[in-house]
Structures are given as C-alpha cells and as structure tokens.
Amino acid sequence: MDISVVLGCSLGAVLGGVILASYKLGLLYQLFHKTERQSPRHGGESVADVLRAHGVKFVFTLVGGHISPILVACEKLGIRIVDTRHEATAVFAADAVARLSGTVGVAAVTAGPGLTNTVTAVKNAQMAESPLLLIGGAAATLLQGRGALQDIDQMSLFKPLCKFCASVRTVREIVPTVRKALAIAQSGTPGPVFIEFPIDTLYPYHVVEKEFAPKNTPKGLMGKIIAWYLQNHLSNLFAGAWETCDLSPLPVHIPHATEDEVQRCVELVSRAKKPVILMGSQATLPPTPADDVRKALESLGIPCFLGGMSRGMLGKNSPLHIRQNRRDALKEADLVLLAGTVCDFRLSYGRVLNRLSKIIAVNRDRSQLLKNSDMFWKPTVAIQGDAGSFLLRLSKALKGHRCPEEWPRSLKEGDAIKEKANRAKAAEKTERHLNPLSVLHRVDELLAEDSIIVADGGDFVGSAAYIMRPRGPIRWLDPGAFGTLGVGGGFALGAKLCRPESEVWIVYGDGSLGYSVAEFDTFTRHKTPVIALVGNDACWSQISREQVPMLGSNVACGLAFTDYHIVADGYGGKGYLIGREDESQLDDIFKKAQKECREGKAILLNVLIGKTSFREGSISV
C-alpha cells in the first residue's frame, strides 16, 4: 500500500478523533456560544419559565436542596408551591390535577430516597394514564457514580414507569427537554414523564464554580490537565445557557378513528337491538369536553355502564346510566362498545362478554385495546383512537337514530330492584356499631352537587362504589387499575386546589387512612379543607373476608378502633367520633361537618362501623 495513503488514513482518523473529542467536551459549541460567568441566573429559572408558558399552576413537592432553585423560581413566577408530608402524596396530587385540569400535573422531589418514595405513585399514574411530569434532583454531573450524597441510578428506576426519561447535562438543555417531556406526557396514551436535574445544572455559575475550583494550585502535568478539564466542563455546562429560546408548548399528538372505522361502527350500532356502552376513564381525556361526550351519549340513547373517572358522566339520575347487574346485561347485549374500557380483571379478562355480541373496542393504547383478545374475546372492530371524539362522531353520524327504548328501560328496572335490596341491607342492624351501607346512603343524600369523591380503601370503598353517586364527570377519583392504597391525601389535595369551590370528600378505609393521615397538616397549612369519611371497622376487611374462611387465620388483618379523629385535631383539623349512639343525629353531624369545611377546617369523620354480608364473595386478588 502507498505510504501516502496510509499516512492520509492515519491523519484522517486522528482528525476525526480530535473533532469527536472536541464535540464531546463541548469545545466546538463554546466557539459559537458564550458562557456568561457573571450572570446571577440559574437553571431553576429556565424550568419555571417553561412551566409557566405551559399554564402550570401548581408544583407539588417535599423540599430538598437538590431542587430548591426550581421551587424558588416557580414561586417568583406565581406558580404555587404546595409541599406535602410524603413524596408519594406530591405525585398523587399532581395526578389529580392532571385528571381534573386536562393539563400536565407536576411534582418535584429531591434525589435518591425522595425519588424512590414516588415509585408507587408514578406507576399508578402510568396505569391510570395520567399525564404528569416528575422532576427529580440528582448528584452533580461529574459526581454521579462516585459516592455522592443520595446518588443512585435513577434513570434505570424510572424508564420502565415513564413514557420519557431524560437526564439534563447542561443548562442549555433544560428548556427543550422540559418542552419535549410535557408534549410527550399528553400525546397518544397520556402518562408520566421524568426529568433528572443534576444539582450543578440548577444553581448559578458562581455557586457551581466554588465546587469545581481546585483547593490548591495544580501541580504537575496531570494536575493541570485535570484543572483544565474541570474548567472546561464548567464552561460547557453554562455555555449558551441564557440565549433566547422558544418556551411555547409543542404539538400534542392524539390518535383518532378513521372515517372508514366510524362508518363500520355506524352500521353495527344502527342494526343493534340491545347495545351497551362500557365507558372508562379514557373517554374523559382532552380534547373533547366531557359535556359534549354526555350530549353524544344522550343522543345515542344507549344504556351505559360508567367506570373510573367517567362515573357521573350522565349525572345523578339518568335513565341511561345503569349501575347494577352488569354481567347479566352483557349476556343479553347484541353489541358492546368498549369506550376506553379494558378487558382486564375488571371484565374478567373479557370472559363476561357474550361471544355472539358484536364488539367495538376504542382505546388510544394498542396493547390495552387488544388485551386478552387472543384468549377470551374478539373485537368486531378495534380502533386505536380517542374514545371521547369517537363517541361524538358516532353520535353525529347516527343523528335521529336511537336505541330501542324498551332495552334501557328494562335494565333500569333491574337497577331499581337491586338498589331496593341494597336499601334493605342498609336498614339492617349490625352486631355492633353502625351499618356502613346506611352511613354511605346518608352521606350520598347530603352531597353537594359540585362534590368530588376521592376513593381510597378496600371494603368500605368497594361498598361506596355501589352506593355513592357522583354528580358529574371527573367527580370520582380512584386509583384505577393498579388498586393502590394511599391516594387519598394527594388526590384530595389536588382536587381542592383545582376546584376550590367544590366539596371534596375522601372515602377512606381505616387501613388506607394510615398512609396519608399526616396530610391533614398539609390541608391545614395550605388552606385546602376537605372532609374525610373513615369507615373504621378495626380491620383490613377486604383481605380478612377471604383469608379467615379460606385459611383459618386473621393474622395481620386486625387493627384497632383507633382515635383517628384526635390525630386530625393534632394536625389542625377537626375530628368527630361517630358511633351507634349517634345514629339518629347522623344527618346533623354531616351537615355540621360540611359547614365547618366551608369555613376552612379540614374534617375527619371517624365512623365506627360493623360487619355486613354486602359484597360477600368479591375478591381482592
């Protein structure tokens, strides 16, 4: 081979290596972008600027030094900082804001244990399809993996839980990274996103410089190389940091049904004699207003079973809203429309669907759209698209057509029979304390029309789902498919901040209350009064009901009739102990609690309840 060719190849390789190294070290970028060493600005301000431009009103947090610049900058821009007593509560609150506002909920927590405390809440948001941004602190860029305080591999932890994960490496990356994350959180199937901010990307240049500067004058060649490397790293960290850039929201991409898909469904629905709609939380997602979805359902005249956040979609007493005997209705139905409803354990994996029924499934997420369709059911039409807008288009195309009225009327008659039986069960005397069904009926009758119900518990909450009637859409907040306990304090906090005029009730089991009773301190400090209704039967009843007859032991299921009302008093709220001797005064006590809540007090109603056979046979696994 010619020596000139060899030399040329060698020089090319060296030059390429130099260019690559220059790029990696930021030397090329620094040639064209200034590092403003005297600027007092910091990365937290960039985060706050983007959040404000996206209409974020609240950031939920438990404070930590890693994230202090973000919190301070947000407060200066008028974004309300709401600090909680546990990081999981901060994420649950952000989740509730996302559901109620139709935007992205935001939580910011410190590095290491601050982030690990959020894992359950982030997974819950993923499964509930809630768009939220989790901001996490992190060790400085050069110290990661070197034993810094609270330093762990956070990215590996959150990648399976989030639609998008990023670790900011320079200050100039903050704005584009946050904009991208917020758009991804809302696009397609909504869900959580995570951004890690190393501490040196958030504090001002002069503060970070003190940490980078050598304590003594470098000696020797290696010392000088290390000093140069540190100085260059610092310069690259802040190069181009304060250049003007676009803060506005990026486009949000939402899948929609095609015209052909809608037309196929129009033909199926128009021929159906006994159609049923099963509606899930996804049908309440933006961009379609919930009120428009309600009008579409009323126009179609098809009986509906409502789940998740779609509970209340048709109001309190709609002739189309069927609450009972779902399994029987599905056996009779000749067409079933799954509008954001998934064939998971809640539908016995699809086994409750009649194999002779035509089935239309609409879901933004393809894996959820077809879940278990390889085993227990088959969709006639499967549409990967937005359920709310699909219902509007279906209603418009079927204008003038209505489901035969005798079908919803017969289902409603079945409802009346079942609910009469439930009323009779509520009138029975329990062996001790109050009948929980009676308590729930009384509360339901007193609920204000704008009430929001937060469900956090097992047996008591399971009963409430049959009895309490949300007055409108997105007025029932439960954890969703993950079945998480501990959502109560955070969900109620987010709900009250989003809708301060609404009456917010948390329906707690006495077991689940333990997760977030400390948030009564948060309710007091942030002037967010809510009412907690605690069904206190001194037991993890949902587990005990199966464990005792099947395995012959109540181990780990027993609690005590604890004075939770006193705990609420200690945190600045107002607690009531309610037992059988108060049965005749229940309405007066509940009305007094509502009045005190309107006056600014967070209320805890510690209701001692007995056992009933209601929901016997329901399972908890």
Side-chain angles (χ1 to χ4, degrees):
M1 183 181 289
D2 192 297
I3 189 69
S4 61
V5 174
V6 173
L7 288 173
C9 290
S10 299
L11 287 172
V14 170
L15 183 60
V18 170
I19 292 172
L20 180 61
S22 298
Y23 173 77
K24 290 283 189 182
L25 293 169
L27 296 173
L28 294 178
Y29 187 86
Q30 292 176 62
L31 287 175
F32 304 99
H33 300 273
K34 185 180 178 184
T35 300
E36 299 180 36
R37 292 176 170 80
Q38 303 306 314
S39 175
R41 297 188 62 184
H42 57 79
E45 295 172 349
S46 298
V47 178
D49 286 339
V50 181
L51 295 181
R52 182 174 65 172
H54 284 69
V56 172
K57 295 180 179 179
F58 310 105
V59 171
F60 299 94
T61 190
L62 198 157
V63 72
H66 288 87
I67 57 167
S68 290
I70 296 174
L71 305 182
V72 171
C74 285
E75 184 187 41
K76 285 182 179 178
L77 293 184
I79 298 172
R80 185 168 174 181
I81 303 299
V82 184
D83 59 308
T84 64
R85 299 304 299 266
H86 196 286
E87 289 90 352
T89 297
V91 175
F92 286 135
D95 184 334
V97 166
R99 300 185 193 199
L100 287 162
S101 68
T103 58
V104 179
V106 181
V109 300
T110 198
L115 276 161
T116 59
N117 275 346
T118 70
V119 167
T120 297
V122 173
K123 182 63 183 181
N124 193 81
Q126 180 193 48
M127 293 186 68
E129 300 173 350
S130 293
L132 67 85
L133 167 61
L134 176 64
I135 292 170
T141 50
L142 286 179
L143 296 179
Q144 292 182 359
R146 295 179 179 273
L149 175 68
Q150 298 180 333
D151 179 33
I152 60 170
D153 182 3
Q154 297 170 164
M155 299 298 287
S156 295
L157 195 62
F158 285 95
K159 279 179 180 176
L161 307 178
C162 296
K163 296 180 68 182
F164 171 78
C165 290
S167 180
V168 170
R169 311 315 290 175
T170 63
V171 180
R172 62 181 173 270
E173 294 174 26
I174 292 176
V175 169
T177 302
V178 178
R179 290 177 74 212
K180 181 180 180 180
L182 290 167
I184 290 173
Q186 299 170 86
S187 293
T189 304
V193 293
F194 169 60
I195 306 177
E196 172 185 89
F197 290 90
I199 195 169
D200 50 346
T201 64
L202 292 178
Y203 280 82
Y205 183 95
H206 69 275
V207 173
V208 179
E209 183 181 32
K210 287 180 182 177
E211 298 300 317
F212 276 81
K215 304 303 178 189
N216 301 301
T217 304
K219 294 180 181 179
L221 180 61
M222 185 55 67
K224 289 179 181 178
I225 291 174
I226 292 173
W228 174 85
Y229 177 80
L230 292 174
Q231 183 57 53
N232 177 72
H233 184 85
L234 177 62
S235 297
N236 185 50
L237 199 63
F238 285 88
W242 316 124
E243 294 174 5
T244 302
C245 52
D246 189 0
L247 301 172
S248 63
L250 294 168
V252 172
H253 302 288
I254 299 170
H256 292 285
T258 66
E259 290 298 332
D260 286 346
E261 288 171 334
V262 173
Q263 186 55 41
R264 285 186 66 195
C265 296
V266 166
E267 292 167 7
L268 289 171
V269 173
S270 65
R271 293 196 293 267
K273 302 300 181 188
K274 294 183 176 182
V276 167
I277 295 176
L278 270 59
M279 201 153 77
S281 296
Q282 215 182 78
T284 66
L285 291 174
T288 308
D291 197 49
D292 290 352
V293 176
R294 176 185 58 78
K295 290 174 183 175
L297 294 174
E298 290 173 345
S299 173
L300 290 166
I302 298 173
C304 300
F305 290 91
L306 307 176
M309 290 184 295
S310 73
R311 289 171 181 264
M313 178 68 75
L314 292 166
K316 190 167 108 176
N317 293 309
S318 169
L320 297 178
H321 181 198
I322 314 302
R323 290 164 52 87
Q324 314 288 345
N325 306 313
R326 185 178 69 178
R327 187 179 291 265
D328 293 338
L330 291 174
K331 284 180 182 176
E332 282 192 68
D334 58 3
L335 181 139
V336 178
L337 170 52
L338 303 173
T341 297
V342 182
C343 287
D344 55 17
F345 69 93
R346 292 166 292 186
L347 283 181
S348 190
Y349 310 98
R351 287 177 293 197
V352 296
L353 299 175
N354 185 342
R355 288 187 177 272
L356 298 178
S357 300
K358 303 295 184 184
I359 300 173
I360 300 169
V362 188
N363 199 293
R364 294 194 190 189
D365 187 315
R366 185 166 180 79
S367 66
Q368 299 297 311
L369 173 68
L370 300 174
K371 192 173 286 291
N372 296 308
S373 63
D374 58 336
M375 293 183 68
F376 300 120
W377 68 288
K378 293 289 180 193
T380 310
V381 182
I383 300 169
Q384 186 177 358
D386 175 59
S389 59
F390 169 79
L391 288 168
L392 261 63
R393 292 166 67 188
L394 186 68
S395 169
K396 186 177 180 181
L398 285 164
K399 193 170 184 179
H401 171 84
R402 281 184 68 84
C403 165
E405 290 187 8
E406 61 272 13
W407 170 236
R409 189 183 302 123
S410 68
L411 293 178
K412 203 67 178 176
E413 287 169 359
D415 253 20
I417 293 169
K418 188 71 174 282
E419 289 182 4
K420 184 178 180 181
N422 290 346
R423 286 276 183 182
K425 181 74 70 177
E428 295 174 1
K429 284 287 184 184
T430 51
E431 186 177 334
R432 60 189 301 205
H433 301 309
L434 290 165
N435 184 317
L437 307 181
S438 175
V439 172
L440 290 166
H441 274 296
R442 303 280 276 278
V443 171
D444 180 63
E445 288 162 7
L446 292 171
L447 283 178
E449 286 302 307
D450 65 350
S451 293
I452 296 171
I453 303 166
V454 173
D456 185 11
D459 196 65
F460 188 60
V461 169
S463 297
Y466 284 92
I467 293 168
M468 299 183 78
R469 295 165 296 171
R471 280 28 175 183
I474 322 179
R475 292 188 177 279
W476 172 279
L477 301 181
D478 63 29
F482 202 28
T484 310
L485 292 181
V487 302
F491 277 14
L493 178 64
K496 190 63 178 179
L497 287 167
C498 281
R499 300 189 185 166
E501 301 307 315
S502 292
E503 195 172 271
V504 176
W505 286 76
I506 316 172
V507 183
Y508 273 123
D510 54 334
S512 60
L513 172 68
Y515 286 87
S516 63
V517 68
E519 301 306 338
F520 267 78
D521 172 67
T522 307
F523 300 146
T524 299
R525 287 184 297 105
H526 288 282
K527 297 179 172 57
T528 49
V530 302
I531 304 174
L533 176 71
V534 183
N536 186 352
D537 60 359
C539 187
W540 295 93
S541 291
Q542 183 140 315
I543 310 303
S544 179
R545 190 178 53 243
E546 303 161 39
Q547 182 174 306
V548 172
M550 288 174 65
L551 301 172
S553 172
N554 198 46
V555 64
C557 295
L559 295 170
F561 287 105
T562 300
D563 290 335
Y564 301 114
H565 53 290
I566 296 177
V567 178
D569 287 339
Y571 280 125
K574 173 65 176 174
Y576 288 89
L577 177 64
I578 304 172
R580 179 171 283 179
E581 66 278 8
D582 303 302
E583 188 165 15
S584 63
Q585 303 167 29
L586 278 182
D587 285 3
D588 292 337
I589 294 171
F590 293 155
K591 287 176 182 177
K592 184 179 180 184
Q594 290 173 304
K595 179 177 181 292
E596 289 182 323
C597 186
R598 287 193 296 271
E599 292 170 352
K601 275 280 186 185
I603 308 297
L604 188 149
L605 303 169
N606 185 12
V607 185
L608 306 182
I609 58 172
K611 309 288 187 184
T612 75
S613 59
F614 189 68
R615 297 184 68 243
E616 218 167 55
S618 62
I619 60 170
S620 59
V621 292

